[in-house]
């Protein structure tokens, strides 16, 4: 498998693969077996300098092109990505452990959607005309310059595209650092953008751990930092970027509420809970891991959910029949198992799962806790694994108050046949991304992001353009200039 995954070199800079063996060595593992699939080196200061210098040079060339010209490059890249979807999906499965059944539709495919969407609107990134009587003003949307993207390990190529596509559409360049846990697919994106006609140096990939991200964040050549990661990492990046007054977009974690009222369609509510807890083995930041079920349907909900979990097919994630894969690493598995033990210790009732799966690899059983109370650790802290906490509630006002009683505010979902109530409840939930009668759908046309400790700014949709461009105002006088003396 190593031969299939080992890149030509660790980094992609100025249109070509680059290696510096002086950088700290690290490996990428296949989570289903522990096999080493690639060996890489973290970026040295010399590598970072090359990447930032290349991006600075390429950005000037790219910004001179018209939006239509930039859009064509992004759309060509989307076409190439779709044509190579299976190869990219297999690489992503090997690097993350996510089932191929999932990566074929949710990873590179989503990345291609982002490139296509922002490629399509690049020519329409314009300013406005402002009449001022005899005079007028106009605005121009300008690029920021060199942007840094720092990715997470759960959706590596999707996150890379979600950051690169709007950045490039606006005329910026990017230096992207993937997670050291899943370092491979971003290199393929760099290849594809270069093949599609992007200037050498426009999108560079450098590998490394936290120190690499910190060096990029504080470099004076960088105008913008976009991070997907944990709250502690987000705080550090935000503080470091603030020192240089850099633009920042931060998408962090969550402990999102998913609310099922008595009148909800039971099958749809359970489907939402499954998608919001067990897809990607629970490793999704927007997951609805606090499932509030109104008491009138609680028993039926738990019974039917348990039946539905019999459909879990655990095994080799490269087998398309498998729909539940391992966690990304041993460290993540150990973390999740420690939370499961905490749930048991604090008195929650195990309805399903509750243990490491009896097989090789980082597999944890899909776990459902019932009789969870708001003060339990599993109801307060982000677990990032296949652990669902089911909480009872009586009425609407109660559940809204309890759903909002958290430091997080990334996402929320409501299941009910009463659409008036659905909109009323969603309107009161403190979350940036919400769903009614579905969960975890994130089309590129819709802005995605959180409030409170779940982040700053938005990705996707036109909102992303606001975060990768700046407005210049121009006042045009058509008459004489009057002065007091």
């Amino acid at each position: 498998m190593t031969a299939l995954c080992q890149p030509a070199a660790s980094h992609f800079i100025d249109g070509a693969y680059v290696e510096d063996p002086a950088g700290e060595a690290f490996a990428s593992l296949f989570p289903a077996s522990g096999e080493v699939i690639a060996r890489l080196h973290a970026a040295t200061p010399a590598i970072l300098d090359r990447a930032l210098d290349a991006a600075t040079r390429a950005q000037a060339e790219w910004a001179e092109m018209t939006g239509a010209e930039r859009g064509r490059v992004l759309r060509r890249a989307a076409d190439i990505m779709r044509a190579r979807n299976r190869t990219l999906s297999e690489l992503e499965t090997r690097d993350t452990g996510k089932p191929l059944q999932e990566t074929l539709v949710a990873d590179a495919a989503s990345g291609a959607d982002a490139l296509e969407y922002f490629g399509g609107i690049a020519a329409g990134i314009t300013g406005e005309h402002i009449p001022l009587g005899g005079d007028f003003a106009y605005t121009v949307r300008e690029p920021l310059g060199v942007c840094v993207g720092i990715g997470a390990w759960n959706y590596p190529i999707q996150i890379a595209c979600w950051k690169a596509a709007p950045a490039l559409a606006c005329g910026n360049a990017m230096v992207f650092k993937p997670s050291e846990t899943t370092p491979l697919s971003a290199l393929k994106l760099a290849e594809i953008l270069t093949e599609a006609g992007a200037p050498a140096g426009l999108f560079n990939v450098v590998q490394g751990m936290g120190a690499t991200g910190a060096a990029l964040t504080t470099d004076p050549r960088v105008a913008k930092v976009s991070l997907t990661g944990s709250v502690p990492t987000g705080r550090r990046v935000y503080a470091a970027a603030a020192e240089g007054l850099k633009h920042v977009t931060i998408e962090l974690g969550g402990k999102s509420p998913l609310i099922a009222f008595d009148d909800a369609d039971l099958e749809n509510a359970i489907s939402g809970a499954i998608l919001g807890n067990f897809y990607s083995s629970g490793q999704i930041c927007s997951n609805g891991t606090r499932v509030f079920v109104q008491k009138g349907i609680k028993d039926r909900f738990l019974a039917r959910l348990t039946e539905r979990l019999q459909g879990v097919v655990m095994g080799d994630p490269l087998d398309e029949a498998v729909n539940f894969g391992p966690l990304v690493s041993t460290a993540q598995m150990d973390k999740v198992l420690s939370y499961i033990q905490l749930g048991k210790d604090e008195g929650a009732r195990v309805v399903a799962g509750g243990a490491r799966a009896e097989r090789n690899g980082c597999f944890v059983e899909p776990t459902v806790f019932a009789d969870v109370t708001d003060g339990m650790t599993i109801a307060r802290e982000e677990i990032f694994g296949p652990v669902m906490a089911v909480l009872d509630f009586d009425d609407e006002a109660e559940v809204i108050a309890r759903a909002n009683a958290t430091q997080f505010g990334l996402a929320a979902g409501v299941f009910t046949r009463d659409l008036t109530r659905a909109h009323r409840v969603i309107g009161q939930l403190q979350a940036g991304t919400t769903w009614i009668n579905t969960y975890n759908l994130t089309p590129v046309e819709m802005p995605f992001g959180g409030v409170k400790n779940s982040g700053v700014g938005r990705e996707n949709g036109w909102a992303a353009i606001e975060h990768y461009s700046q407005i210049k105002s121009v006042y045009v006088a058509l008459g004489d200039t009057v002065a007091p003396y």
Side-chain angles (χ1 to χ4, degrees):
M1 191 179 291
T2 303
L4 294 171
C5 301
Q6 181 66 45
S10 299
H11 320 287
F12 194 98
I13 298 172
D14 211 5
Y17 278 97
V18 176
E19 190 62 272
D20 185 347
E24 181 181 349
F26 66 99
S28 176
L29 308 179
F30 182 40
S33 66
E35 177 187 354
V36 173
I37 61 172
R39 299 183 186 278
L40 302 97
H41 293 272
T44 58
I47 286 290
L48 295 181
D49 275 340
R50 287 180 63 176
L52 290 166
D53 285 346
T56 301
R57 185 184 67 251
Q59 191 273 324
E61 175 187 347
W62 182 247
E64 290 181 355
M65 297 168 63
T66 66
E69 290 169 330
R70 293 195 295 267
R72 289 186 202 114
V73 172
L74 295 179
R75 294 196 305 275
R76 281 197 294 269
D79 291 341
I80 296 169
M81 185 170 286
R82 288 204 176 97
R84 298 176 188 168
N85 183 56
R86 175 163 285 274
T87 300
L88 292 169
S89 299
E90 289 175 353
L91 179 64
E92 204 76 307
T93 288
R94 291 183 172 97
D95 211 13
T96 65
K98 297 197 295 184
L100 184 59
Q101 181 187 114
E102 176 183 331
T103 57
L104 283 169
V105 299
D107 290 75
S110 172
D113 288 346
L115 292 167
E116 182 178 54
Y117 173 79
F118 287 105
I121 67 174
I125 300 173
T126 60
E128 62 177 335
H129 175 268
I130 306 167
L132 298 169
D135 297 344
F136 69 93
Y138 64 90
T139 62
V140 180
R141 239 179 222 292
E142 297 181 331
L144 302 176
V146 175
C147 301
V148 163
I150 301 176
W153 47 255
N154 57 337
Y155 278 87
I157 198 167
Q158 180 196 77
I159 290 171
C161 290
W162 279 18
K163 297 184 187 307
L168 302 188
C170 290
N172 303 290
M174 177 163 278
V175 177
F176 186 80
K177 188 200 87 68
S179 166
E180 64 272 22
T181 305
T182 54
L184 302 179
S185 59
L187 295 167
K188 294 298 182 183
L189 174 61
E191 283 184 31
I192 288 169
L193 284 165
T194 302
E195 184 179 340
L202 188 70
F203 182 78
N204 307 275
V205 176
V206 295
Q207 308 289 354
M209 284 60 82
T212 302
L216 290 170
T217 298
T218 56
D219 194 283
R221 288 166 286 189
V222 173
K224 159 75 186 263
V225 180
S226 178
L227 164 79
T228 300
S230 68
V231 172
T233 301
R235 287 197 177 101
R236 289 194 297 271
V237 168
Y238 204 6
E243 186 68 25
L245 297 178
K246 301 180 191 298
H247 298 258
V248 177
T249 303
I250 301 181
E251 192 269 286
L252 306 176
K255 193 67 183 176
S256 300
L258 187 158
I259 302 170
F261 286 94
D262 281 346
D263 69 342
D265 181 292
L266 191 66
E267 293 300 320
N268 285 336
I270 291 169
S271 292
I274 288 171
L275 291 173
N277 284 270
F278 302 134
Y279 200 67
S280 281
S281 297
Q283 300 168 122
I284 300 177
C285 52
S286 56
N287 270 357
T289 52
R290 290 185 297 148
V291 180
F292 290 92
V293 180
Q294 201 162 17
K295 288 181 178 177
I297 60 168
K298 171 189 169 183
D299 291 341
R300 286 192 294 132
F301 183 95
L302 291 172
R304 181 60 181 142
L305 173 61
T306 303
E307 291 175 359
R308 293 273 298 270
L309 289 178
Q310 301 307 306
V312 168
V313 180
M314 196 181 297
D316 181 356
L318 289 164
D319 179 351
E320 286 187 58
V322 167
N323 58 25
F324 190 90
L327 293 169
V328 74
S329 66
T330 300
Q332 188 64 19
M333 178 183 66
D334 290 343
K335 175 187 172 186
V336 171
L337 290 172
S338 71
Y339 274 108
I340 290 174
Q341 187 59 51
L342 272 173
K344 296 174 181 177
D345 293 344
E346 293 182 359
R349 174 166 59 95
V350 177
V351 174
R356 180 178 180 178
E358 294 182 358
R359 61 188 319 117
N360 292 330
C362 303
F363 289 88
V364 173
E365 296 172 342
T367 298
V368 178
F369 281 105
D371 305 332
V372 178
T373 59
D374 296 329
M376 291 181 180
T377 305
I378 60 171
R380 291 184 293 104
E381 297 183 9
E382 185 177 38
I383 299 173
F384 225 64
V387 182
M388 179 192 302
V390 178
L391 304 94
D392 309 345
F393 74 95
D394 288 306
D395 59 47
E396 180 180 313
E398 170 206 345
V399 77
I400 291 170
R402 292 170 61 196
N404 287 335
T406 173
Q407 63 173 319
F408 298 109
L410 183 53
V414 172
F415 283 82
T416 176
R417 286 188 172 93
D418 183 344
L419 288 182
T420 299
R421 174 164 61 189
H423 292 294
R424 183 172 64 241
V425 172
I426 283 291
Q428 296 176 76
L429 293 178
Q430 298 165 357
T433 308
T434 63
W435 296 273
I436 293 174
N437 291 330
T438 190
Y439 205 85
N440 261 353
L441 299 182
T442 55
V444 68
E445 297 88 349
M446 183 180 83
F448 180 84
V451 299
K452 298 197 284 191
N453 281 2
S454 287
V456 176
R458 293 293 180 269
E459 297 190 295
N460 293 340
W462 181 262
I465 299 299
E466 304 282 348
H467 293 296
Y468 284 100
S469 61
Q470 55 197 356
I471 293 176
K472 175 181 284 181
S473 296
V474 183
Y475 188 106
V476 180
L478 299 180
D480 294 332
T481 299
V482 178
Y485 53 84

